[in-house]
Amino acid sequence: MLQVSDLKVSYGQSEVIHGIALEVEMNETVAVMGRNGMGKTTLFKSLIGALSASAGDISLDGKSVTSMESYDRVKHGIAYVPQGRMIFPTLTVEENIRTGLSSTGKRNIPEDIFALFPVLWDMRKRKGGNLSGGQQQQLAIARALVTDPKVLLLDEPTEGIQPSIIKDIANVLNEIRKLREISIIVSEQVLSFTMAIADRIIVIEKGNFIREDRREEVDEAQISKYLSV
Amino acid sequence: MEGYTASELMSIVAMQGFAGISLFSVLLLMALGLAIIFGQMGVINMAHGEFMTIGAYTTFLLSSMAGEFGLVDYYFPVAIIVSFLVAFGVGYLTEWALIRHLYARPLDTLLATWGLSLMLQQIFRTVFGAREVSPAMPGWLQGSWQPTDAIDIPINGLFVLGLTVLLTTAVLYYLYKSRSGVKMRATTQNRMMAGAVGINTKRVDRFTFALGCGIAGVAGAAFTTIASTGPTTGSLYIVDTFMVVVFGGAASLFGTIASAFAIAEAQSIMEFFMSGSMAKVLTLLFVVGVLMIRPEGLFSVKVRK
Ligand SMILES: Nc1ncnc2c1ncn2[C@@H]1O[C@H](COP(=O)(O)OP(=O)(O)OP(=O)(O)O)[C@@H](O)[C@H]1O
Ligand SMILES: [Mg+2]
């Protein structure tokens, strides 16, 4: 589904991602785990095209998207839920979701979105900026889902969210996998969350992938060591 | 203000108030375009006044053509639409040729659009001459309406007000109810994120810039009903327009409306009692005073960030 090869990303002169390779199968969920500042957000931004790669290739279904702008990548099937959610604060909940429809040409928000996130239906007329952090996270996921993605990128979806809501988000993601043909790449620091959703867990350190385990084979104590300071 | 009876004062305020409505209309249309462009792209369009002049000259050209065919009574509605289209088209080209290369460089856009405004003024001077021109007014726009003996309301002011209300409503409807309006507001709020949810932000930018210029073109058509047009007409209005936008709060269109009304009416009513420049100074002082208390302008949208 998604192939990334030898991806390098820099801010000016300083290279932050040093030649990463990644392959994600259809219907697979991959977690990229690492401490603060290890390059997770940089990697995700370059996958969606908010940062351009200085070398390497990103392909979706065999088609290279490396030189495409963000909106075009979305059209080809990549969707992005950024760290810190970045919903549009003065747009209503409904309008926020609608922004994701522009790439599909659909007029109406599919009903299954509100089935997944009932709270968004109740709040659809409110301004996005007035929702709680957990609600904003659901909104950001809903906004990404209406683009009909083949690959969904989630950058630290549990950041700043209380444990009970973290469980809800894990359930929703598993639900989405059942309902759609979708691959998910999620960056995280919370191991219990990724153990609940991921098929594979990759550890990123200083812009390199240094370890990779299938979930069944994960040694939680060892991965935790990479995540603690 | 001594020497006026209460009822005389009332009539003066009412009359000057209605006279101020023309100014309000032109300022509002100008500010609307400027605010949309600034809010969306952070571009301060110094040439915005010249887009108004483009509309005014377009109206003049059409009126000359209409004069030859004896259609003076009918051309004006057409002129409004054509003024919009011409200014929209020139704006579209400007964004493509100039502005898009300068995003994220506010100082450069300021200089570039200022240069553009000088160039356009020179083109106006070469094509239309330095003398001011006035399109022929259709009969139905002339004269005035007298609800009472003391009050005299010019028809052209009412017409321009109607036009402004219509256009402002259309713009608000477009922004807040249409699908492309949602795209525009999303791009305004977070350009990176708008792209990442599938919005072609460059196309939205070009359209927004052109739309703002088109509205200035309509302001130009409206302007011809209250004064004559010269090469520098637009630059005379640009300062007042900036004042309206800043005073109203750049992010709030409702603020822009309130602020255009307050500034136009204050100037118009005060002009009756003192010189025009004194009225301007007082208005400016008042605006500065308000901005010191509320730096974000009269209105600002309140949400959690
Ligand atoms: N705009 C920028 N300019 C320069 N350097 C940057 C920029 N953004 C991030 N960096 C650097 O790139 C490195 C990786 O940052 P990144 O945000 O990708 O980390 P992260 O893994 O997402 O961290 P966190 O868990 O805190 O979100 C850091 O060293 C950071 O300082
Ligand atoms: Mg990050």
Side-chain angles (χ1 to χ4, degrees):
Chain A
M1 175 80 8
L2 183 82
Q3 289 100 15
V4 178
S5 56
D6 192 34
L7 183 71
K8 294 181 179 163
V9 188
S10 312
Y11 293 105
Q13 292 299 316
S14 76
E15 188 177 281
V16 171
I17 300 292
H18 311 288
I20 274 179
L22 173 66
E23 194 141 339
V24 183
E25 301 298 322
M26 190 191 285
N27 266 324
E28 189 186 27
T29 297
V30 175
V32 176
M33 306 201 63
R35 279 178 285 137
N36 294 128
M38 289 302 155
K40 302 181 294 296
T41 298
T42 308
L43 171 65
F44 278 54
K45 279 191 175 168
S46 74
L47 291 179
I48 189 64
L51 286 171
S52 49
S54 50
D57 182 73
I58 304 164
S59 292
L60 192 67
D61 278 338
K63 186 172 169 50
S64 173
V65 299
T66 322
S67 56
M68 286 181 191
E69 288 188 50
S70 293
Y71 80 92
D72 218 5
R73 296 190 195 198
V74 176
K75 209 170 242 170
H76 280 81
I78 307 182
Y80 176 53
V81 178
Q83 184 169 13
R85 336 216 224 264
M86 293 195 196
I87 48 105
F88 303 110
T90 67
L91 265 57
T92 65
V93 167
E94 196 176 329
E95 288 169 339
N96 263 281
I97 302 175
R98 268 179 198 289
T99 59
L101 287 178
S102 34
S103 64
T104 64
K106 280 197 199 131
R107 286 192 156 266
N108 298 314
I109 302 169
E111 279 172 21
D112 62 339
I113 293 294
F114 291 121
L116 277 170
F117 306 104
V119 67
L120 296 183
W121 172 258
D122 301 333
M123 309 222 157
R124 64 193 184 283
K125 300 286 177 214
R126 291 226 211 147
K127 288 217 174 10
N130 295 334
L131 265 54
S132 76
Q135 291 161 346
Q136 289 189 359
Q137 187 65 60
Q138 299 185 39
L139 177 55
I141 297 174
R143 180 180 66 179
L145 278 181
V146 294
T147 67
D148 277 340
K150 297 175 189 154
V151 178
L152 177 63
L153 309 172
L154 294 146
D155 194 1
E156 292 205 39
T158 66
E159 192 188 37
I161 289 176
Q162 72 189 55
S164 68
I165 311 276
I166 291 183
K167 268 195 200 119
D168 289 348
I169 293 178
N171 290 339
V172 164
L173 291 178
N174 282 327
E175 187 72 16
I176 293 167
R177 281 180 76 186
K178 267 187 241 147
L179 294 172
R180 304 182 175 216
E181 307 263 271
I182 196 169
S183 311
I184 299 177
I185 309 177
V186 57
S187 91
E188 260 309 330
Q189 307 199 40
V190 178
L191 190 56
S192 60
F193 178 72
T194 47
M195 288 302 285
I197 58 166
D199 303 308
R200 234 182 332 146
I201 293 180
I202 297 174
V203 176
I204 185 173
E205 193 151 287
K206 297 196 179 122
N208 290 304
F209 286 173
I210 55 162
R211 187 190 170 102
E212 176 177 335
D213 300 283
R214 303 214 56 80
R215 178 181 41 196
E216 307 80 62
E217 293 147 14
V218 162
D219 177 348
E220 295 199 26
Q222 243 182 349
I223 303 249
S224 301
K225 237 191 283 168
Y226 290 111
L227 298 176
S228 55
V229 233
Chain B
M1 289 185 207
E2 266 132 61
Y4 296 105
T5 68
S7 80
E8 272 172 345
L9 267 181
M10 283 292 291
S11 320
I12 290 170
V13 167
M15 255 178 72
Q16 288 301 108
F18 278 107
I21 275 176
S22 299
L23 179 63
F24 159 67
S25 304
V26 172
L27 278 186
L28 175 56
L29 290 181
M30 288 285 284
L32 208 57
L34 199 70
I36 289 176
I37 292 173
F38 178 74
Q40 162 92 37
M41 304 175 251
V43 168
I44 296 176
N45 181 15
M46 296 293 285
H48 203 69
E50 277 58 46
F51 285 93
M52 173 180 124
T53 317
I54 287 178
Y57 276 123
T58 306
T59 306
F60 168 70
L61 280 182
L62 283 174
S63 99
S64 316
M65 272 154 59
E68 286 178 26
F69 297 101
L71 296 171
V72 172
D73 270 353
Y74 308 105
Y75 83 94
F76 203 70
V78 180
I80 293 169
I81 295 167
V82 177
S83 298
F84 176 85
L85 293 177
V86 172
F88 184 96
V90 177
Y92 198 89
L93 277 177
T94 304
E95 205 280 344
W96 175 78
L98 191 68
I99 311 286
R100 70 181 168 132
H101 304 292
L102 301 172
Y103 285 126
R105 285 150 67 183
L107 210 58
D108 295 6
T109 39
L110 210 64
L111 278 177
T113 53
W114 186 55
L116 177 70
S117 98
L118 295 181
M119 265 168 53
L120 286 173
Q121 285 179 28
Q122 190 51 49
I123 293 174
F124 297 149
R125 202 166 286 127
T126 312
V127 176
F128 297 97
R131 277 190 41 207
E132 300 203 335
V133 298
S134 286
M137 273 303 105
W140 51 270
L141 267 181
Q142 293 165 8
S144 61
W145 176 52
Q146 283 178 299
T148 74
D149 277 349
I151 300 178
D152 210 24
I153 303 166
I155 303 275
N156 60 7
L158 286 179
F159 176 79
V160 169
L161 178 67
L163 175 65
T164 304
V165 169
L166 203 72
L167 192 62
T168 308
T169 315
V171 168
L172 288 178
Y173 184 86
Y174 172 78
L175 273 177
Y176 289 95
K177 294 283 173 223
S178 79
R179 287 198 290 164
S180 21
V182 170
K183 288 189 207 177
M184 227 163 108
R185 284 182 293 140
T187 309
T188 305
Q189 284 181 36
N190 189 333
R191 175 171 305 270
M192 185 279 282
M193 203 52 231
V197 295
I199 296 169
N200 185 345
T201 54
K202 287 183 181 166
R203 200 157 72 191
V204 172
D205 282 346
R206 193 156 309 153
F207 183 81
T208 306
F209 191 86
L211 180 68
C213 294
I215 297 171
V218 176
F223 174 80
T224 60
T225 67
I226 54 175
S228 51
T229 307
T232 56
T233 296
S235 56
L236 299 179
Y237 274 79
I238 194 75
V239 176
D240 282 1
T241 307
F242 280 134
M243 198 155 80
V244 167
V245 172
V246 174
F247 185 51
S252 156
L253 287 180
F254 295 103
T256 305
I257 296 172
S259 133
F261 190 78
I263 288 175
E265 291 301 338
Q267 274 189 28
S268 177
I269 292 173
M270 282 191 294
E271 260 173 25
F272 192 88
F273 300 105
M274 56 191 90
S275 76
S277 40
M278 195 60 207
K280 264 218 162 87
V281 169
L282 281 185
T283 316
L284 192 61
L285 280 179
F286 175 68
V287 167
V288 170
V290 170
L291 286 179
M292 283 168 83
I293 304 166
R294 290 183 65 92
E296 70 281 19
L298 272 185
F299 295 83
S300 56
V301 188
K302 287 185 195 67
V303 287
R304 284 202 243 162
K305 282 273 149 73

